[in-house]
Amino acid sequence: MSRFIPLSIPNFEGNERKYVDDAIDQGWVSTGGAYITKLEEKLAGFLHTDNVAACQSGTAALHLSMVEAGVRPGDVVLVPPLTFIAAVNPVKYQFATPVFIDCDDSFCMSPVKLQAFCENECSFDGNQLRYNNQPVKAVVVVHIFGNMADMVAIMDIAQKYNLKVVEDATEALGSKFTAGPLAGQYAGTIGDFGCYSFNGNKIITTGGGGAVTANNTKVVDHLRYLSTQAKNDVHYYIHNEVGYNYRMTNLQAALGVAQMEELPEFIRRKQANFQLYCELFDSFEFGKMVGFRDDIDSNMWFYSLEINRDKVKNSMRDIITALEKCGIQTRAIWGLINEQIPYKNEVTYELEKAPYYAKRILNLPSSTQITKAEIEYVVEQVKKVLGDFAHG
Ligand SMILES: *Cc1c(COP(=O)(O)O)cnc(C)c1O
């Protein structure tokens, strides 16, 4: 079988080459240049926020947020167990302690369990929440696969307990609430900090790259300052803080500006393809498509099929390998972060949904270039593989 349908690949149908050539022709390839500012302005306009700092990666955006939130050695940060590990590693970069809070059926952090943890496991003196006498400083909320966490409830809890909210919107560029008190607000613009990623598998890409925003324009300026080695004076090399080399390059930004022009079309295709998958898997006995919240307009970045474990007992590895043989690239949702070696001794709080979904979710091809015929083929093969396994 020569056919190969990849999981999620970049799409360069627009002005990418033109802008990258232009950046090279002008000689601006590093951390200075007009495309960086242009990308920041485009992102701010798209997100209806007034200031965005472009940086080297989503991970850098998350780390800068941790630093700016004042997370220090010995502090506690509340984090999700079922996501990409880059959402949690910055807690360790700051020598702080993660505590894992379960997700709900959206795969995002459960506000019910977050509240219960703060209320039942911590002490609160009206100003500082403490767990085991360690200050609880922040919560990292990931908007998984373009879905959104219950931000109304989470912001409420964060306000009550004085927690900084870091939104990991690396997978949710373009997702926004359409109803309720946050109607019109985009993922990443609700908490204290919002982080985006332009890695190769995300909805837009700059090769590698990211961006960070905050609910205060001066804070974003400070994040940008930290990302450029905290340089106070460009001529005399004065540095008043410890900075980072986290600034995006002009080459990356040139790609990013072209990708931003295409983002609405990418979202439209992701949404149409998701609908097609849903129709084709409708009333399938051995698996069902997992939807997105009703009160959002989601970018529908990544697609999840929940496998019926009463019928299909085979491991994810078996399923993925069988599909690979048909030329279809799929993957399992992540291994739980709290089970990874660097995190296996950390505290977890009532994990129940996260391990449940870790065993059940298969991610399906979701590139913006995928054709209708390819989706039909994927669904046909998935049905065949799961059907064969179910019937032993
Ligand atoms: C991709 C991703 C990141 C990291 O982004 P990079 O740009 O690869 O550093 C962080 N968190 C989540 C949930 C992601 O999916």
Side-chain angles (χ1 to χ4, degrees):
M1 173 78 54
S2 60
R3 193 198 287 251
F4 177 68
I5 303 175
L7 189 64
S8 180
I9 53 168
N11 183 331
F12 300 128
E13 292 173 7
N15 289 315
E16 287 81 7
R17 279 176 186 78
K18 191 174 151 208
Y19 296 165
V20 171
D21 272 352
D22 183 46
I24 292 171
D25 288 344
Q26 295 187 12
W28 290 96
V29 295
S30 196
T31 55
Y35 281 108
I36 306 173
T37 315
K38 201 162 175 184
L39 178 60
E40 291 180 335
E41 285 167 2
K42 270 190 175 287
L43 283 165
F46 178 85
L47 296 166
H48 300 291
T49 182
D50 53 21
N51 199 350
V52 174
C55 48
Q56 277 291 338
S57 65
T59 310
L62 287 155
H63 188 200
L64 288 172
S65 301
M66 281 291 128
V67 172
E68 190 73 32
V71 173
R72 298 203 315 228
D75 289 342
V76 169
V77 178
L78 308 177
V79 299
L82 185 65
T83 189
F84 185 47
I85 199 162
V88 179
N89 281 339
V91 176
K92 289 270 185 183
Y93 300 165
Q94 292 304 100
F95 300 95
T97 307
V99 170
F100 292 93
I101 307 290
D102 202 14
C103 63
D104 60 21
D105 294 314
S106 71
F107 305 157
C108 306
M109 187 174 281
S110 160
V112 175
K113 286 185 174 162
L114 176 64
Q115 166 64 34
F117 177 81
C118 295
E119 195 175 310
N120 303 329
E121 308 295 324
C122 300
S123 67
F124 186 59
D125 62 9
N127 178 47
Q128 184 64 64
L129 189 69
R130 284 176 186 277
Y131 176 69
N132 275 341
N133 223 24
Q134 291 174 264
V136 185
K137 284 279 179 70
V139 52
V140 178
V141 180
V142 182
H143 300 299
I144 306 278
F145 299 153
N147 205 1
M148 286 176 79
D150 182 348
M151 290 307 288
V152 175
I154 287 172
M155 291 308 289
D156 215 46
I157 297 162
Q159 196 167 21
K160 189 154 90 186
Y161 293 109
N162 223 346
L163 302 173
K164 295 282 188 202
V165 176
V166 177
E167 285 184 83
D168 178 334
T170 52
E171 304 180 355
L173 177 64
S175 297
K176 64 169 186 245
F177 282 103
T178 53
L182 296 173
Q185 280 191 253
Y186 282 85
T189 68
I190 298 161
D192 296 273
F193 303 95
C195 303
Y196 303 91
S197 166
F198 313 127
N199 190 35
N201 63 340
K202 301 300 203 281
I203 194 155
I204 65 164
T205 186
T206 60
V212 59
T213 190
N215 57 2
N216 175 329
T217 188
K218 288 214 173 70
V219 169
V220 181
D221 286 338
H222 190 247
L223 290 162
R224 191 180 291 106
Y225 162 79
L226 289 177
S227 80
T228 50
Q229 306 281 23
K231 198 183 279 177
N232 290 68
D233 187 299
V234 291
H235 299 114
Y236 299 102
Y237 286 84
I238 307 297
H239 306 263
N240 293 344
E241 289 183 57
V242 175
Y244 301 83
N245 183 11
Y246 280 173
R247 184 72 168 153
M248 180 180 274
T249 69
N250 202 48
L251 271 186
Q252 292 169 311
L255 262 184
V257 169
Q259 292 272 287
M260 278 305 287
E261 293 171 353
E262 294 161 276
L263 178 57
E265 171 62 15
F266 291 167
I267 293 174
R268 197 195 60 72
R269 291 191 200 177
K270 294 269 187 189
Q271 292 174 339
N273 290 338
F274 179 74
Q275 292 316 324
L276 181 57
Y277 270 117
C278 288
E279 283 160 29
L280 295 172
F281 274 120
D282 186 38
S283 62
F284 174 50
E285 203 185 339
F286 307 124
K288 61 169 192 258
M289 292 298 290
V290 180
F292 298 86
R293 291 176 68 95
D294 290 334
D295 57 353
I296 68 168
D297 182 20
S298 170
N299 73 359
M300 300 194 178
W301 170 65
F302 224 45
Y303 309 143
S304 306
L305 183 77
E306 182 183 338
I307 291 171
N308 181 342
R309 284 303 189 192
D310 295 334
K311 303 275 171 68
V312 181
K313 308 286 186 195
N314 297 62
S315 70
M316 260 319 158
R317 202 174 289 276
D318 286 352
I319 297 166
I320 291 167
T321 307
L323 288 166
E324 221 160 51
K325 288 192 183 123
C326 319
I328 298 169
Q329 190 183 26
T330 58
R331 52 163 264 201
I333 200 170
W334 306 275
L336 297 176
I337 300 174
N338 55 289
E339 291 177 358
Q340 312 290 328
I341 287 170
Y343 291 98
K344 64 182 179 359
N345 297 322
E346 304 298 352
V347 173
T348 61
Y349 183 66
E350 294 190 353
L351 300 194
E352 165 203 0
K353 295 278 185 184
Y356 177 92
Y357 285 115
K359 286 195 190 66
R360 285 168 175 77
I361 299 302
L362 180 75
N363 294 117
L364 302 173
S366 64
S367 308
T368 50
Q369 304 93 324
I370 195 169
T371 64
K372 182 164 185 276
E374 285 174 328
I375 291 176
E376 285 166 350
Y377 174 76
V378 169
V379 173
E380 184 191 315
Q381 295 305 311
V382 169
K383 284 185 175 178
K384 189 171 169 304
V385 163
L386 294 183
D388 286 351
F389 282 147
H391 299 117

